[in-house]
Amino acid sequence: MKKIIVEILSILITALVAALIFNQVSGNKTPMFQNYKSTESVDLKHNIETIDIEVFRYYLERGGTIVLDARSGEEYISGHIPGASSFSNNEFYTIFKERGELLQLGNTVIVYCSGPSCEDSHSLALKLAAKGIEDIFVFGGGIEEWIGAGYEITGKNI
Amino acid sequence: MFNYYKLIENKYIILSFRMILGSVFIFASIDKILHPDAFAEILHNYKILPDILIYAPALLLPWIELIAGSFLIAGIFMRGSVLILNSLLLIFILAITINLVRGITFDCGCFSTIPGESGSVYFLLIRDILLLIPGALLYRNYMKKRR
């Protein structure tokens, strides 16, 4: 038993030392004990524009715009902006495999989630941008602002 | 009657199991070592660990996989290596199962930090369970030798 514990500790210490050394010498230095902070939302502020409800309405009326609901499928079914498609941020990779090509046809893509405080729309926008979709905006007010402004919501429309 | 115990104690079978298990973990570790931030995001999406405990396992776990996998193949600290690798498999199975039960869809990050590269979560769960077979047999074999 003692020998196994020594073996396990040796492996763990070797891994710890290797990880620390690699983390120090690699260009991509990661903090070890710090609250997790998504790098996406930081990058997003520089790369993807957040639009208000007036601009959002302009794009809807102009046409050629794909609106994506970044909330969960259940939230989407319970009520969403008319014409929006469900594209849950949590299921991004599965959904993108199925429907990603439709987003790469040159249309403007606008994503939204629950409201100004939710992160799913920002996260989804960056993931889409990383997949090569260029013309993309975040409707920052989300469903909260949409309902608050008196616009209607609708049921399932996947 | 065919002696299965003798078969699984065959040195070539044991060597194959070591190679399979070791190389799977080495292969699984490389991309995660090179992209710790992406792996941290995957751990975050599992929604199991608190935010303060995301970066440390994101940095350490791939190195543990690499070192234990390499040691198992090289024949160094084999009992410790196989015990660690089996424990990791059990942790992965538990984490995937918890999220499947909770209905949370997530990217496994088992082999790659690239979104969607790791394959279906159900496939990964089955694969991890299957990998436990050589892991458990190796563990049984080494513990038996020790007695």
Side-chain angles (χ1 to χ4, degrees), chain B residues 32 35-44 57-59 61-62 108-109 113:
Chain B
K32 291 183 271 189
H35 306 104
D37 285 341
F39 185 47
E41 192 201 349
I42 288 167
L43 287 181
H44 176 69
L59 283 170
L61 203 62
C108 161
T113 55

Side-chain angles (χ1 to χ4, degrees), chain A residues 71-84:
Chain A
R71 300 173 300 159
S72 70
E74 284 175 10
E75 287 173 297
Y76 173 82
I77 289 167
S78 70
H80 58 265
I81 294 172

Side-chain angles (χ1 to χ4, degrees), chain B residues 66-134:
Chain B
L66 180 69
I67 303 287
S70 307
F71 279 8
L72 185 64
I73 289 177
I76 304 165
F77 298 150
M78 287 195 289
R79 269 174 254 166
S81 299
V82 84
L83 198 62
I84 286 176
L85 297 183
N86 282 344
S87 306
L88 289 177
L89 282 172
L90 287 171
I91 291 168
F92 298 155
I93 290 167
L94 188 68
I96 294 171
T97 307
I98 286 171
N99 274 359
L100 284 175
V101 169
R102 292 195 300 188
I104 297 173
T105 311
F106 56 99
D107 201 59
C108 161
C110 304
F111 280 94
S112 170
T113 55
I114 299 170
E117 291 280 299
S118 293
S120 139
V121 173
Y122 289 101
F123 168 75
L124 295 165
L125 182 63
I126 292 165
R127 192 205 53 204
D128 283 350
I129 293 168
L130 289 177
L131 278 173
L132 262 183
I133 296 170

Side-chain angles (χ1 to χ4, degrees), chain A:
Chain A
M1 190 68 187
K2 197 177 169 185
K3 199 180 171 190
I4 294 183
I5 293 171
V6 171
E7 287 187 8
I8 289 171
L9 283 176
S10 306
I11 293 165
L12 295 180
I13 291 167
T14 309
L16 177 67
V17 171
L20 290 175
I21 293 172
F22 185 79
N23 193 38
Q24 286 296 320
V25 298
S26 71
N28 189 15
K29 198 174 168 184
T30 307
M32 204 150 189
F33 296 104
Q34 185 177 307
N35 270 331
Y36 174 77
K37 192 178 175 184
S38 173
T39 50
E40 290 180 357
S41 45
V42 176
D43 293 339
L44 184 73
K45 286 172 187 166
H46 302 289
N47 296 325
I48 294 170
E49 195 180 333
T50 301
I51 56 173
D52 60 24
I53 196 162
E54 296 306 322
V55 180
F56 180 52
R57 292 272 309 161
Y58 161 77
Y59 276 109
L60 290 181
E61 284 163 16
R62 190 198 65 171
T65 302
I66 296 173
V67 182
L68 301 178
D69 188 323
R71 300 173 300 159
S72 70
E74 284 175 10
E75 287 173 297
Y76 173 82
I77 289 167
S78 70
H80 58 265
I81 294 172
S85 297
S86 178
F87 206 116
S88 169
N89 181 46
N90 287 336
E91 296 178 51
F92 175 80
Y93 307 123
T94 310
I95 299 172
F96 193 84
K97 268 185 192 170
E98 291 170 2
R99 290 188 272 148
E101 282 180 12
L102 296 174
L103 303 176
Q104 291 166 325
L105 300 175
N107 290 309
T108 298
V109 176
I110 301 177
V111 297
Y112 72 89
C113 53
S114 308
S117 58
C118 75
E119 292 180 0
D120 281 336
S121 55
H122 297 278
S123 176
L124 176 61
L126 198 76
K127 286 174 186 167
L128 290 170
K131 289 284 186 183
I133 293 160
E134 291 172 355
D135 196 8
I136 181 162
F137 300 97
V138 170
F139 168 38
I143 198 91
E144 278 175 26
E145 190 178 344
W146 181 260
I147 294 169
Y151 296 114
E152 63 172 15
I153 56 169
T154 188
K156 191 175 178 181
N157 181 24
I158 298 177

